[in-house]
Amino acid sequence: MTLPETFIFTQQNLQDYIDCNRRFYLREILKLEWPAIESEPVREQEELILLGTQFHLLCQQFFLGIPVEDLSDQITNLELQVWWQNFLKLDFKSLNGTLSSEKLISIPFAGFRLAAKYDLLLRDLNGKNFIYDWKTSKHQPQRKYLVERMQSKIYPLVISKYIGAKRFDTDFNPESIDMIYWYPAFPNTPISFGYSKVQFEADQTGLEKLIYEINKKKEPDFVLTEREKTCSYCRFRSLCNRGVTAGVSDQQEIDFQATNAFNFDFEAL
Amino acid sequence: MNFDDLSPAQQEIVRLPLQTKVFLHGQAGSGKTTAAIHRMLGLIDQGIPAESVLVLVPQRSLAQGYRDVIRTPNSRAGGEPAILTIGGLAQRMIALFWPIVAKNAGFKNPTRPPQFLTLETAQYYLASIVEPLLQKGYFESVTVDPNRLYSQILDNLNKSAVVGFAPDEISQRLIQAWAGKASQSVIYEQAQECALLFRKLCLQQDLLDFSLQLSIFTDHLWTSFLCKKYLTSTYRHLIYDNAEEDYPVAHDIIAKWLPDFESALILSDTEAGFRSFMGADPVSANSLGDQCSKKVEFCNSLVKTHPLDNLESALSRSLIEHRLDGHFDSDVESSFSIHPFRFYPQVIDWIVKQVSELLINQNVTPNEIVILTPFLSDSLRFSFYTRFTECGIPINTFRPSRSLRDEPAVKTVITLAKLAYPIWALKPSKDEVRTALMLTITDCDYVRADLLTQILYSSASGSLRSFDPVKKEMQQRLTYTIGERYEKLRRWLEQNSNQGTLELDFFLSKLFGEILSQPGFKFHENFDSASSVNRLIESCRKFRQTMTDGTLINEASISKEYIRLVDEGILAAQYLSDWAGKSQSDSVLISPAFSFLMSNRPAKYQFWLDIGSQGWWTRLDQPLTHPYVLNRNWARGQLWTDAQEYSTNQKTLARVTTGLIRRCSDHIFMCSIGINEQGNEERGALVMAIQTILRKLKTTAGGKHV
Ligand code: SF4
């Protein structure tokens, strides 16, 4: 199997591959539309996705300079109101530095492109780069769960390589990068990770190996996961003969890039 | 393609100084888009941030080349150019700047989020206005189905937005141009009233159809300091491809915006503007050339041969002048051939054989062949699909819109939903139940499905009975396995309808996942059915989310209302399929001619199907609207006469054939059919024009086609 040259790797599709090779194949290569329910309770999940979408949009509008009062007027949901107030307390307005929100960056990587969409990138006056990711789940996961996620590896790597390439600086120091997962429902306990040259190199090698492995595979090599619990939260379970009903998710994390969260699809316009 | 492979003229475009604004025009196939793609890459290579480049196209399918190239690993690290239509840009800006624009734009509840209407949800809201008026006798003399009334009323509003006139001028403009019976003016007035009522409803309920989105963008956002600052600082470089296929208001916006761009490259095809029914305006596109510091023309085709060039000119002259006077180069003969057939099946067999011959003996690749037809019906598509599949030839079809509710998988799940909720009193017919069982249960053939229906479906209550009490002999005849599967389905429907309030989209998702796609049921490995059901669920979800936010109908009735509207053809009737994204590079393409023109790709061999068909020539019957009158180039006060209708149709056909020939590099096989799909004999304008060429050939060179 050779992937098309225009295939784009993201934290979401690589996480799929890690979770289940087969899922990657069905979703990314076959592009299969399989409208089963992923996990229960489905109504609450939809509600949470809508709230998360609204929160992300509010933040983006805030950074565009739309007056806070106008934005606050748009909020009718109590929970969102609390999240929004918590966000305002971060006081980004008074920070000195450069900010860009909802920024998509992709880099050439291992014969393909590797892309990341950043909720917020902040570069302060000391040259320190902060990656903020808004996590609108109702539970905060443990640090060790996040550290293993593809997002924690790909986001700092993409920005490091991007800044390095932009400045023609192969010696760009990854230590200047911090990745911060900020939970509006838990404003005082952000989970942040520093970055280092060692980590950068380890992630780079690991990801290159992974992409090489994926590209080498033939259809039957994309095997079903051995961890059958994963199938409870996967819409392909009927196709794979891995169960009937969707499992009840603890809503550990709803990833906005993994869902069709936005009610309009920018790509489709 | 590398830079070195470009023609000198293309290289010149790529190398133009950074701060240049250039208008590049020329015929399709002259290499404009390739030059523009390299220009875009060149800008990025010079260090321009990719995300500061705005690539505008009138239709998404026209952007594929740009999309592909920026996604290759050769592109630099960074953002991506924004590739958008003006409509898409408008929607994006409304979503972002809604809090500052909603009030000024006249929305009654500016603190509620905007509801972007799809074509189908717009039709739904419009239907709620028009249905009571139909009862009162509105549109009595118009003999088209209500859905076509709705789409034309929406089309009138869209025309007012894309041409740039007030929505209350629609009827006046149409009446002024009407040359027929005076009673038509009543129809136009009624259409006007409905359009204005719909607009009022949108403003009351924060609903935005396409026309309102575009008007808000032009009248409110473009003039807002914050939004304009965002647009002009975000996008510094413009590439506008196929500007001739866009509408005048898009050109107005670009004309105002041009001074703010550092560089611009505007591309326009000559003898095009195929989307005239959507307001395409080559005249206003050309006026953008006056604002550019440089105008360049690409004169030579990189695609077609000399004989094809002659065919283009001969066909165009014969269509417009009805004769071929003067010099006529007989090398045109090698560019096309005529193949007469009596019936459709014969032509299909012949085309399949001819395509096999090209693939096997002449080393042609499948993607170098297209089969073009004025319309592509499902039965024609199916016939080709079956025949090509038998021969192992991959095919791909472009169908810009398809009727989702006619998909068998969709009909099946709708029938099952009706069975689950007898309380809706939308009882399915016996036929529907039989088909649903046959398409659902593995190994259940027509006879068994019919028996199950006869024995176990109560059409009085609209529900299924249990398999268990059925007599043993009958159980054996039906088989226990089928009985077991039937029972599983029946019990599931019963249990889940007991949950009562499950939203229809969730219900359908569960039904699909827990039953229909499980082993023992036919959707288990049927990816096409899964895809159709997925689209239905998406449509249903959008409907629910729009309705829940509005006040039009209470939440509990939404599911029933959705099903009723699908049955009536208001919802799930038109659903845009993403044919551009799914086009396969290694297959023979079968496409309506118009869709092929909008895909911006050439083909070595073209088959033109049924050249006698009036479909190549006739305009859609639209009693409530008029694409040429609701147009900026229409002189108000003039009458639209039969003579104008005739000459416009001839010119449109000439444009279409010119566009097709410009996208062909070797040969066109023209197939005529004595008896068409409907069983009629037709001799349309295209075949007449071709006969003029044949007669001329006969007199000049004893032509072999005749
Ligand atoms: S159901 Fe299980 S095995 Fe199948 S794709 Fe999903 S996670 Fe993988």
Side-chain angles (χ1 to χ4, degrees), chain B residues 15 18 51 56 66 102 111 251 254 259 411 420 461 521 537 550 612 634 703:
Chain B
R15 283 211 200 99
L18 181 63
E51 63 274 23
L56 269 184
Y66 296 91
T111 56
H251 301 141
I254 295 304
K411 280 185 176 168
S461 66
F521 292 89
I537 292 173
W634 178 253

Side-chain angles (χ1 to χ4, degrees), chain B residues 165 169 172-174 176 629 631 633-639:
Chain B
F165 60 86
E169 282 179 25
Q172 204 188 349
R173 286 173 180 249
L174 289 167
Q176 280 172 353
V629 168
N631 184 301
N633 302 312
W634 178 253
R636 288 186 73 177
Q638 221 186 316
L639 289 180

Side-chain angles (χ1 to χ4, degrees), chain A residues 19-24 26 223-242:
Chain A
D19 292 343
C20 174
N21 289 193
R22 191 71 189 163
R23 183 149 82 198
F24 176 89
L26 296 172
V223 291
L224 279 63
T225 178
E226 284 171 7
R227 295 182 304 269
E228 294 206 15
K229 190 167 182 284
T230 313
C231 306
S232 305
Y233 312 113
C234 172
R235 63 181 55 208
F236 297 114
R237 79 186 74 80
S238 55
L239 183 65
C240 299
N241 298 341
R242 286 284 178 91

Side-chain angles (χ1 to χ4, degrees), chain B residues 337-355 371 384 387 606-613 668-677 679-683 687 691 705:
Chain B
S337 48
I338 307 282
H339 306 271
F341 298 90
R342 182 109 184 99
F343 298 108
Y344 249 89
Q346 293 168 335
V347 73
I348 293 172
D349 285 347
W350 180 82
I351 289 178
V352 174
K353 206 166 142 213
Q354 193 66 30
V355 168
I371 299 161
F384 269 119
R387 294 289 293 109
Q606 294 182 2
F607 289 81
W608 292 5
L609 195 58
D610 198 1
I611 52 172
S613 166
I668 299 172
F669 299 92
M670 300 181 182
C671 305
S672 70
I673 300 166
I675 310 286
N676 69 13
E677 268 187 302
N680 304 320
E681 283 189 60
E682 280 182 301
R683 284 177 56 77
V687 79
Q691 272 167 352
H705 295 289

